Amino acid sequence: MVTVNLGMLHYILDHVYGAFVHRTKITPPFFSRGWGGTKLELLERLISQLFPEVEGQNWPPSLIQPIWRTVWETQNACLREGVFRTPCDEQLLSALPPESHNARVAFLVPKDVPPQKMACVVHLAGTGDHTFERRLRLGGPLLKQNIATMVLESPFYGQRRPMLQRGAKLLCVSDLLLLGRATIEEARSLLYWLDSEAGFGKMGVCGLSMGGVHAAMVGSLHPTPVATLPFLSPHSAVVAFCEGILKHATAWEALREDLAAKEAAMTLEEVRERMRNVLSLTDVTRFPIPKNPNAIIFVAATDDGYIPKHSVLELQKAWPGSEVRWVTGGHVSSFLLHNNEFRKAIVDGLNRLEWKESSL
């Protein structure tokens, strides 16, 4: 009985936090400027191009050349920050805000270990994660196990945030698709750089919440096995914005008015249906199964007010051989309390990969 009450408490905490952050007028809602007009049509087309008819057609991605500076160095580790031009093609680049054209990464690496004896995991940002700190804290303790951490600052976040955007509240629906498409492109280029330029022996990609959706997509599209580690993640953005707490943070009225101005008057339910159709592009179950399903570990929360259980199970069903681990808690409490479980999943996922053959 206590467990049930605790579970309910975690679920309520998610809703209280959601009500405070999303229903008060502290910040504007998501998509207050509508759908994004022609940008939305462009992105719908570009996302469908992620799945070429011929396998390997989208590979390799553009090779990036980050410019590095050392932030600090100790006897055992080094933290560097790098900047590189986003590898997105001209169409994507023209849709991205100018502030997002340059990507930023933090790179935390053990010292005096040859790269072929090390693993590196690319950490992608969850909703509202504007800085490197939280993800560096997650990856820091893994240095002792020769696991490096590469943290990508998302487009539309941190120093890449457009001037008119408040916090994480994206202005248009097209921005959400653009953020995802650019993140996938940048993460794929980072993995390619870690492999071909830095020479790491194993690689993985992880992310929390929205970052987990992007990690699943990147792992799916990678041509060689990588550990794929989505934490507290839905199978699609539809779940987050149409079923979970974020539906209360969405500017449904502004979206309805935008449609009415261009097409025809719609009820709110019809607007929500349109949103489901658009966001179905982010459904990870439509993506190919990653090359090593054994190295996919989902970590999900038992009482998540943002991500319903059925969403996690749909992913596991779509990717046979993957593993789901449950932590007791809600979205917010698990985000705060279960970092050790996330780290264990990273270690276990990497352990299920073979070391890359050294070219030396």
Side-chain angles (χ1 to χ4, degrees):
M1 195 62 193
V2 176
T3 314
V4 174
N5 290 342
L6 262 181
M8 184 54 75
L9 197 64
H10 290 303
Y11 188 77
I12 289 167
L13 174 64
D14 279 352
H15 280 268
V16 168
Y17 175 82
F20 177 71
V21 173
H22 303 309
R23 296 203 204 191
T24 56
K25 300 293 181 199
I26 296 171
T27 59
F30 283 97
F31 317 133
S32 57
R33 298 212 168 185
W35 296 91
T38 54
K39 275 190 192 178
L40 186 60
E41 292 152 30
L42 169 70
L43 281 151
E44 287 175 313
R45 197 168 67 251
L46 288 177
I47 287 172
S48 63
Q49 287 168 8
L50 278 171
F51 313 115
E53 297 302 312
V54 183
E55 193 173 344
Q57 197 175 301
N58 281 342
W59 194 264
S62 309
L63 184 60
I64 51 168
Q65 295 293 350
I67 297 163
W68 298 102
R69 72 178 182 88
T70 301
V71 180
W72 55 254
E73 202 165 347
T74 66
Q75 247 183 322
N76 305 316
C78 171
L79 176 66
R80 292 189 292 164
E81 284 186 8
V83 181
F84 60 93
R85 177 86 164 164
T86 182
C88 296
D89 65 22
E90 285 307 313
Q91 276 188 305
L92 266 180
L93 204 60
S94 64
L96 272 174
E99 296 91 338
S100 291
H101 284 194
N102 287 327
R104 290 176 66 240
V105 287
F107 192 25
L108 182 61
V109 195
K111 280 174 74 178
D112 303 323
V113 183
Q116 65 271 23
K117 297 271 172 59
M118 279 195 287
C120 185
V121 176
V122 176
H123 291 239
L124 303 180
T127 302
D129 192 354
H130 288 272
T131 66
F132 297 137
E133 277 67 38
R134 190 201 65 76
R135 287 171 283 163
L136 286 173
R137 279 200 305 274
L138 178 61
L142 299 173
L143 286 169
K144 294 182 189 132
Q145 298 182 63
N146 292 336
I147 298 171
T149 292
M150 176 80 83
V151 180
L152 173 65
E153 180 182 69
S154 276
F156 293 90
Y157 277 23
Q159 291 184 23
R160 306 179 71 186
R161 188 179 70 190
M163 201 189 306
L164 295 174
Q165 182 185 304
R166 293 275 304 281
K169 299 299 176 62
L170 302 171
L171 295 171
C172 300
V173 175
S174 60
D175 291 347
L176 183 66
L177 298 180
L178 192 50
L179 185 161
R181 185 69 174 79
T183 297
I184 290 168
E185 226 40 63
E186 290 167 7
R188 296 180 87 201
S189 286
L190 284 170
L191 286 170
Y192 183 51
W193 182 87
L194 287 166
D195 183 16
S196 62
E197 296 287 300
F200 277 84
K202 290 183 185 182
M203 293 171 304
V205 58
C206 76
L208 200 137
S209 198
M210 173 184 77
V213 176
H214 296 150
M217 292 173 174
V218 171
S220 157
L221 296 168
H222 202 72
T224 58
V226 291
T228 303
L229 307 150
F231 305 144
L232 310 179
S233 303
H235 74 284
S236 159
V238 173
V239 176
F241 287 96
C242 300
E243 291 179 36
I245 289 169
L246 291 183
K247 70 183 177 194
H248 303 299
T250 300
W252 296 110
E253 202 51 58
L255 292 168
R256 179 162 74 169
E257 285 167 15
D258 190 19
L259 284 174
K262 294 186 182 70
E263 296 171 23
M266 285 189 177
T267 65
L268 277 179
E269 194 38 59
E270 287 171 322
V271 175
R272 289 192 174 100
E273 194 50 43
R274 172 72 184 270
M275 179 71 96
R276 283 187 198 100
N277 287 337
V278 169
L279 296 187
S280 68
L281 289 166
T282 66
D283 186 341
V284 181
T285 63
R286 295 169 48 181
F287 280 63
I289 300 173
K291 296 291 181 288
N292 186 346
N294 190 36
I296 306 166
I297 302 175
F298 302 104
V299 181
T302 51
D303 300 281
D304 194 321
Y306 287 77
I307 316 297
K309 277 185 184 176
H310 77 81
S311 184
V312 181
L313 297 172
E314 278 183 49
L315 262 173
Q316 187 191 24
K317 188 176 159 193
W319 288 355
S322 60
E323 180 187 349
V324 175
R325 296 180 179 179
W326 296 95
V327 293
T328 305
H331 202 75
V332 175
S333 60
S334 298
F335 173 84
L336 298 170
L337 303 174
H338 289 305
N339 280 331
N340 282 335
E341 280 84 350
F342 301 146
R343 290 186 195 109
K344 185 171 184 340
I346 290 171
V347 171
D348 292 347
L350 289 167
N351 281 341
R352 294 172 187 180
L353 295 175
E354 300 291 324
W355 286 101
K356 192 176 74 179
E357 293 292 319
S358 174
S359 54
L360 298 177

